[in-house]
Structures are given as structure tokens and as C-alpha cells.
Amino acid sequence: MALINKIREKSGIAVTVIAVSLIFFIVGGDLLGPNSMFGGGNNQTLGEIAGKEIDIQSFQNRLDVMRQNYEAQTGRAAGEQEIVALREQAWNQLIVDIAYKEQYEKLGLTVTDEEMVDMVQGNHISPSIQQAFANPTTGAFDKSAVVNYLKNLKTLPLPQQQSWAEFEQNLRSDRLRQKYENLVRTSTYVTKAEAEKEYMAQNTRASLRYLYVPFYSVPDTTIKVTDSQLESYLSAHRDEYKGVSTRTVQYVTFPVLPAKDDSAALYTEIKTLARGLASAENDSAYARMNSDIAMPTDMSYASMSDQLKEAVTTFVPGGVYGPYREGNTYFIYKYNGTKKDSLSTVKASHILIRPENPSDSAKEVARQRAEGILGQIRGGASFEAMAATNSADPGSAQRGGDLGYFQNNGSMVKPFEDAVFSMSGTGLIGRLVESQFGFHIIKVTDAKSNTLYRLAGIAKTIAPSQATRDEAYRKADQFAGSVKTKSQFDEAVKADKSLVVATANRLPESSSNVNAIQNAREIVRWAFNDKTDINDVSQVFETDDQYVVAVLTGKTDEDEVKIDDFRDELTAKVRNQLKAEQITSKLGAVGDLEAMAKKYGAGALLETANDISLATGLLSSAGFDPIALGKGFGLQKGKKSPVFTGENGVFVMELVDRTEAPQIADYTPYKTQLQQGIESRASFLLNEAVRDNAKIVDRRAKFF
């Protein structure tokens, strides 16, 4: 009996202990987590803009509204990538609402209700309204559609009314931003003196002789750089090296690749689908129902894969072609004849010769050069080789001038497009074509065509089976479980020849990707976790079609810049300084350039640069070196400079001759050129200035 009483006495304590334990089990993560009130953090503050704190709840409410509007407009749920983009958009809207609003109020900028009416249904319709209410058939703006929509707005469901209210608010915000930017843009001014200086820089010509000893002529291995030298350089150039919080990780991946059985199963399925496609009465509907990828029903020859192009000559109406494998996807097509497109497609190559400046004399020089190249091609020279060595279009030059396929839809400048589509066949266009970019030498490599092939296509992608996924995870988990430190990580990789270590350098805290790995946010969050130390190994992360195990190998801190944060850059700078001192000492006093080069020996280059300008001049071996050009142009004829250090080496310059740019009465083209450059950068620079002034603190990466 005494024992029973004892149990009764203690039962109340036991119940209390169990209840408290349950509470902590259920909400312990919230109460004791790193951002909890008991854990010492404040999980409500997402950031700060212009002195105003942004709490997580208000930000989430804004994001939820944006997500709902997005899903209402697209008719589908927002995916992870869309959520990331919407989150960034919501943050940028807050910056506008707070930081920009502060500037608007100081300047007295507003958008009146009358302006809003004018933008929505008046005489100056906003481009956003024009796009939203365009006629779906003609693409033309339909003002009556706006009026009818507004008349019936109050009868629409509440979410649509809220969506319109937000749309109008964005219109007002965009107009305010536009006013602000235009105010700054129109306040910029280029003086006549600045325009004249630009004209002189582009048109004054000089011929130079110079002695050049490049840094690379002194082997890096002969120059020892100490940490104290790096520290001294960093201290003297502190403003050039801004601190930023980053992490460096090394990682191995365990890809989830379809196995042979997976491929065989899909091949069997695609053959069954081919029979079904051949007999389907509505083949387009059958294809849509069974395809993993949305396939076009009308294809031009240019848009076809190489395998399908080869089959075109064998096409018979009603015939099924394939399967063709591209990567992990099989394609089959049913051919249903052809039709004519309103647009034509052509393939062409070009060589662009661009004038050095807008002057008539520069254009004439460019024209003569282009005529010379065209003559060489007519005489049998390789178009591709001439493009690679002469074209001012770097993107196409490395492909022998190839521009690929394009249509006559305005994607190319009009003179170019007119010339290409006036050709009935293939071959070299026998004249120069001038556009605002310069002079084009053009060769049509595939004749224009407006034929569209009507195809019902099915694409099926090989998906790894669950067994395949499980096996990849088993390998990753076994690897992660066997290593705890960087040294163990390295040993395990060395033992498994199938693994390759990759490095992601200096990842920012907001990054969603790790090198080419998409949707890698969890890896980044692990790397930035306060509990993750250097040389720690992660758990297994699943990202798309692979598993990842990472090790943290480096950290940088925005509040504490260390030489290790910029070791490679600092080492290169200090090493070049030491090389410059060594080269300068060896060159000695300035004298005859040939004698100096001979005395110095191997590594000293004696070169000339004839008829170059200060603005665009290139030196033979040194390339564009503004320090060397400035020194050379600043000399008097026949004089030599002292030994000095340029961008890429040590120089002695001698001015052989200089032809001053002739005086002109009108500097307007150069003033316009400078003005356009300033205006094109105004929006970006203004945005940077507003953000800097707002002293933005962004802690979103701690929450998402």
C-alpha cells in the first residue's frame, strides 16, 4: 500500500515531465533553433533598406501575392526556379518602394490620377497596357478592350480585381522610375571641349618606336613573393579589394544515369508508339498526349536535327520516321506534307569591316579594305579563313563568318537582310553591303526557303528507374559515411578512380547553383552554416539527376579582407612589380634603343607602331596598353621617354612622327557619341548609386 501511495505522489511529476517533453519535441526546433528567441537569434528580420527593417512575414506576404498573380496568369503552379525569380523581384520591389521613394519625395516627383488614366485609356497608353490588351489575332492594341474590362472590373472575382490593382500600382511605380531616370539622363551634358578631346584622340595619328620587355619574359619561378609583401600591397590598395562573404567547396558527384535496361524499355515503348502514331486518326492529338516534350507541328528545314534533315528526301505523306536518338531522348515523326510560311529562312556567312570612327575618311579606309578582301575571295581565297582573320564580328569570325539560319523578320539590320534575301540561290554576293555597323562581305550558304514540313512528333526521354536511383544513392551514401575530413575525402577519391573532384570557388551566399549544378541551394546553405567548419564533409545532397558530397575548403568574410581571399590576384600584382624593378635595373640609363635591347638580351623586343590613334591604338606585342600609348603620344618628335612600367611590361617609348588631327568646325558627331555612351550607362549607374546610398543589408540567404 505504501508503494502505491508513493507512485501516486510521483505520478503528477511524471505527467508534467512527459507533457513538457512533448512540447519541446513538437516546437523545439522553433524555440531552440539558431534564429529562435531562446537560441539567441531574431528570425523575423530579413534585411534592412534605407534604415527600415524588413521582417520575414511582410516579405512573405508580398511574395505570396506575386506568386498567386503569376499562377493566375500562367495557369500553372510556380516551380522552384520561378519562385527564386519571384523572390528576387519582390526584394527589388521593396528597394524601389523604400530607397527610390525617398529620392522621389526629395525631388517632388509624383504620378497623378490624371496621368494614370492617360496611361491606361488615354492618349499616351503604357506599353504594358498595349501588350496586355493586344488583339490575339492581329497583335494590334485594342483600346476598346481596356474600356470594357474596366467597366466590368467590379463584377470579376476578387483575385482578378486584386491582380488589376497591383498591375496599376506597378504602372505607377514604373512611370515614377522612368521620370526619375529621365531627369538624371537629361541632366547629363558633354561640353565642346570634351567632344574636341575625343575627336583629337580618335584622329591624331602617331608613329612610335619602342623597347618593350614583357613581364612574361621573366619566369615566374625566379620571383619569390612573400606574405609580408602581399600584406603590404593589400594595405596600400585596400579600396580595390572589397570584402565579400564567400565559400569554396570541392565535391564529387554520383550521377543518376539511365541503365541499359532503362534504355531498352524505352526503345520498346517508342516502337509501340510509332505504330500507334502511324494508325492514329488524329495524329497531332496522339503525339501531344504521348510526348514528354512539346513538339512543333510545323518545322522548317533549318530547325530540323541533322538526322531528320537526312530523311527529308525520303518523306512520304503518312510515313513515320525514326526513332532518332539525341542524348537521352528518342524522337519519332509522322510526315503530313508541306505548306508555305509567310517568312523565309536562309543561312549565310559574313565578314564585317568596321570603320575606326564615324568620320568620312575612316569609312573610306574601311571601304577600301573591304573591297580588297572581296577581291581576294573572288580570286579564290577562302571565305572562312578571311573571316577568321579580318572580321570585326568576333562571334561569327571564330566560325568562319557563319551566322547560322535566320528569317526575314527584322532580326538582321535591313540592308543586310535585303541583300541576303534578294539572292535566289547560294554563293558570294558580289558587292559590299553597308550598314550602321560597317561594310559586310556576304556569302549565302543555304538558299532561302519558305517551306514548312507538317510533322506530328513524339519525344520520349529515358528516365532512370527507381532501382537505378537507389543504386546511385547507395554509392553516394556509402562514400559520405566513410569520410569525415578533407584528408579522408581525398583518400577515398584516390581509391575510387570513377570519381572526379570539382571545385566551386568563392560561392556567394545567395547562389542557387554550384558551377553547372542547378538547384544546389542546399549545398550553399550547408557551406554557409555557422556549424560548418573548414575541411568538414557534407551529407549526401540530391540535385536534379545526381547526388553530391561536398567538403568545405575555403571561407572569405566581407568584414575582414585577408590576403588568402585574393592570393592569386595579389601574387600576380606583386610579382609583376618585382619583375618591373628587376627589368628596369637591368635596362639602365636610356640611350639608343637598339643598343639597350642588345645589352638587355633575350626578352627585349624592339618594335614599331605606325599611324595609330590614342583612342584605339594597338602595340604589336603589348596589345592595348593605355599607359604606354599615353607616354608615347605625350612626347615631342624625336624624343624618348624614361624607362617606365606599363600594363604588361616595361617600356621605353620614342615618338617618330605625329600628325595632328585637322581642325573641324563641327564636333557634333563626337559629342553625340559621348552623350549616347553616358546616357546608356545612366540607368545602371543611378541604380547603383541609390542602392549604395540605401546601405542595404540583405539576409535573405539565411531564410531561403
Side-chain angles (χ1 to χ4, degrees):
M1 193 62 138
L3 179 60
I4 293 174
N5 288 334
K6 211 62 167 166
I7 292 172
R8 286 173 177 169
E9 289 172 7
K10 300 295 184 183
S11 63
I13 298 173
V15 170
T16 302
V17 170
I18 293 170
V20 171
S21 298
L22 284 172
I23 291 170
F24 275 104
F25 174 76
I26 295 169
V27 300
D30 294 330
L31 293 175
L32 300 176
N35 290 321
S36 71
M37 58 184 176
F38 293 143
N42 179 9
N43 65 348
Q44 297 300 306
T45 304
L46 188 77
E48 188 176 306
I49 302 171
K52 180 177 180 179
E53 289 190 348
I54 312 299
D55 67 89
I56 182 64
Q57 191 57 55
S58 63
F59 179 81
Q60 191 62 49
N61 291 341
R62 178 183 290 256
L63 180 61
D64 288 343
V65 171
M66 293 177 67
R67 179 180 55 77
Q68 290 166 9
N69 289 338
Y70 173 85
E71 292 176 348
Q73 291 170 9
T74 61
R76 60 182 178 82
E80 181 59 32
Q81 291 299 317
E82 289 91 346
I83 292 294
V84 171
L86 289 172
R87 197 177 289 140
E88 188 66 22
Q89 187 179 339
W91 180 254
N92 286 329
Q93 276 192 4
L94 279 170
I95 294 174
V96 171
D97 291 348
I98 299 170
Y100 273 82
K101 184 179 179 182
E102 185 179 275
Q103 303 302 317
Y104 301 155
E105 290 175 349
K106 288 179 180 178
L107 293 168
L109 293 177
T110 60
V111 175
T112 65
D113 291 341
E114 290 76 14
E115 281 183 272
M116 286 297 299
V117 172
D118 190 42
M119 290 166 60
V120 174
Q121 52 182 313
N123 297 322
H124 302 91
I125 304 294
S126 163
S128 298
I129 292 288
Q130 293 181 25
Q131 182 179 1
F133 290 91
N135 186 299
T137 304
T138 65
F141 170 61
D142 187 355
K143 188 174 180 178
S144 63
V146 184
V147 176
N148 291 333
Y149 181 85
L150 294 176
K151 282 182 179 178
N152 298 311
L153 182 61
K154 291 185 178 179
T155 65
L156 296 175
L158 184 60
Q160 288 191 37
Q161 295 183 43
Q162 292 172 338
S163 179
W164 175 258
E166 185 185 2
F167 182 69
E168 280 198 328
Q169 182 57 40
N170 289 336
L171 287 180
R172 188 183 296 271
S173 178
D174 289 345
R175 174 57 65 89
L176 267 174
R177 175 81 171 264
Q178 191 178 65
K179 285 185 176 184
Y180 185 43
E181 290 184 357
N182 286 340
L183 187 66
V184 173
R185 189 177 291 110
T186 54
S187 69
T188 61
Y189 183 74
V190 175
T191 66
K192 180 183 176 183
E194 290 173 318
E196 184 176 0
K197 182 180 178 181
E198 180 65 19
Y199 165 74
M200 293 297 180
Q202 291 187 23
N203 293 280
T204 297
R205 317 297 293 186
S207 294
L208 302 167
R209 291 178 71 241
Y210 55 93
L211 175 64
Y212 171 51
V213 184
F215 292 139
Y216 64 75
S217 66
V218 179
D220 288 353
T221 53
T222 65
I223 305 296
K224 302 302 180 185
V225 179
T226 66
D227 279 4
S228 63
Q229 290 171 319
L230 297 178
E231 195 64 61
S232 297
Y233 186 91
L234 178 59
S235 297
H237 301 83
R238 187 71 65 177
D239 292 343
E240 299 174 25
Y241 297 91
K242 301 295 184 183
V244 60
S245 292
T246 68
R247 298 292 183 268
T248 296
V249 298
Q250 290 185 333
Y251 59 92
V252 291
T253 60
F254 299 82
V256 184
L257 300 174
K260 185 181 294 185
D261 292 344
D262 302 329
S263 179
L266 182 65
Y267 190 76
T268 301
E269 181 186 357
I270 202 81
K271 287 193 292 186
T272 302
L273 289 171
R275 290 192 291 271
L277 183 62
S279 60
E281 292 185 11
N282 189 336
D283 48 25
S284 296
Y286 183 86
R288 282 196 302 272
M289 289 173 56
N290 290 283
S291 183
D292 291 342
I293 303 170
M295 300 287 289
T297 54
D298 299 321
M299 294 178 69
S300 66
Y301 182 81
S303 63
M304 292 180 181
S305 68
D306 291 341
Q307 296 177 82
L308 191 57
K309 284 178 182 176
E310 291 179 5
V312 166
T313 56
T314 65
F315 277 0
V316 175
V320 176
Y321 300 88
Y324 306 115
R325 182 171 179 174
E326 297 177 29
N328 285 332
T329 304
Y330 285 104
F331 295 87
I332 53 173
Y333 301 91
K334 182 178 181 181
Y335 174 60
N336 291 312
T338 62
K339 70 177 188 178
K340 296 300 181 182
D341 189 8
S342 59
L343 297 173
S344 293
T345 302
V346 74
K347 186 180 184 184
S349 300
H350 83 142
I351 301 170
L352 174 64
I353 304 301
R354 195 193 305 271
E356 285 192 2
N357 56 64
S359 68
D360 291 341
S361 60
K363 285 185 179 179
E364 186 56 33
V365 170
R367 180 190 296 276
Q368 291 176 10
R369 183 179 171 215
E371 289 283 9
I373 294 171
L374 180 60
Q376 291 181 62
I377 295 172
R378 285 196 188 112
S382 165
F383 187 99
E384 291 73 20
M386 297 300 284
T389 55
N390 293 281
S391 182
D393 178 3
S396 65
Q398 62 184 356
R399 299 188 300 271
D402 182 23
L403 294 167
Y405 287 94
F406 54 90
Q407 293 183 308
N408 54 335
N409 57 3
S411 58
M412 298 293 182
V413 291
K414 193 173 188 308
F416 185 97
E417 190 174 276
D418 289 347
V420 170
F421 284 94
S422 67
M423 286 277 287
S424 57
T426 61
L428 183 70
I429 294 179
R431 62 181 177 85
L432 297 182
V433 176
E434 183 179 0
S435 76
Q436 62 263 44
F437 298 108
F439 297 95
H440 304 264
I441 303 164
I442 306 171
K443 181 172 74 170
V444 176
T445 54
D446 198 348
K448 66 180 179 181
S449 170
N450 65 344
T451 299
L452 290 177
Y453 296 83
R454 299 169 60 201
L455 298 166
I458 296 177
K460 299 296 288 185
T461 300
I462 306 170
S465 64
Q466 189 58 49
T468 301
R469 288 186 172 277
D470 291 345
E471 177 60 19
Y473 178 79
R474 184 193 66 77
K475 291 179 179 178
D477 188 51
Q478 185 178 33
F479 177 88
S482 67
V483 297
K484 300 300 179 186
T485 64
K486 175 69 164 59
S487 58
Q488 293 176 349
F489 180 94
D490 293 339
E491 288 298 323
V493 169
K494 192 181 298 183
D496 188 340
K497 302 300 182 184
S498 67
L499 296 176
V500 177
V501 178
T503 302
N505 286 306
R506 305 187 70 174
L507 292 167
E509 192 171 8
S510 60
S511 179
S512 297
N513 303 331
V514 174
N515 290 346
I517 301 176
Q518 305 290 316
N519 302 320
R521 186 77 193 120
E522 289 305 309
I523 300 176
V524 178
R525 293 189 69 180
W526 166 81
F528 276 90
N529 191 301
D530 293 338
K531 295 181 179 179
T532 304
D533 295 323
I534 296 292
N535 295 329
D536 279 0
V537 179
S538 74
Q539 73 273 26
V540 177
F541 295 106
E542 182 178 5
T543 62
D544 297 333
D545 290 327
Q546 59 191 333
Y547 296 102
V548 180
V549 179
V551 56
L552 184 65
T553 59
K555 292 183 179 182
T556 66
D557 190 333
E558 63 181 341
D559 298 323
E560 184 183 355
V561 180
K562 303 182 293 295
I563 59 174
D564 280 339
D565 299 347
F566 300 97
R567 180 172 288 277
D568 291 343
E569 299 97 314
L570 292 171
T571 299
K573 292 286 188 182
V574 173
R575 185 189 294 124
N576 284 344
Q577 280 188 347
L578 297 174
K579 287 182 179 183
E581 293 172 5
Q582 180 178 308
I583 294 168
T584 301
S585 175
K586 189 174 179 181
L587 283 173
V590 174
D592 180 76
L593 296 185
E594 286 83 356
M596 291 181 71
K598 185 176 181 180
K599 176 187 173 185
Y600 186 88
L605 304 174
L606 189 58
E607 299 179 335
T608 60
N610 295 316
D611 195 34
I612 62 173
S613 72
L614 183 61
T616 58
L618 292 176
L619 303 177
S620 300
S621 298
F624 182 68
D625 194 310
I627 298 174
L629 286 172
K631 291 278 189 181
F633 271 80
L635 294 169
Q636 293 185 3
K637 184 176 178 179
K639 298 294 184 181
K640 300 184 185 70
S641 73
V643 179
F644 67 90
T645 303
E647 293 277 350
N648 302 304
V650 176
F651 292 86
V652 178
M653 306 295 294
E654 179 183 359
L655 180 64
V656 177
D657 192 23
R658 181 172 60 214
T659 304
E660 300 293 342
Q663 292 294 322
I664 58 174
D666 185 12
Y667 294 101
T668 300
Y670 299 91
K671 186 173 184 177
T672 301
Q673 182 181 338
L674 291 174
Q675 185 74 32
Q676 289 175 345
I678 295 171
E679 290 178 0
S680 67
R681 299 191 303 271
S683 178
F684 169 77
L685 295 175
L686 179 61
N687 186 55
E688 292 296 298
V690 171
R691 287 170 177 264
D692 287 346
N693 185 65
K695 295 180 171 56
I696 296 170
V697 178
D698 185 356
R699 302 192 187 96
R700 285 178 295 157
K702 299 291 185 185
F703 296 84
F704 305 108

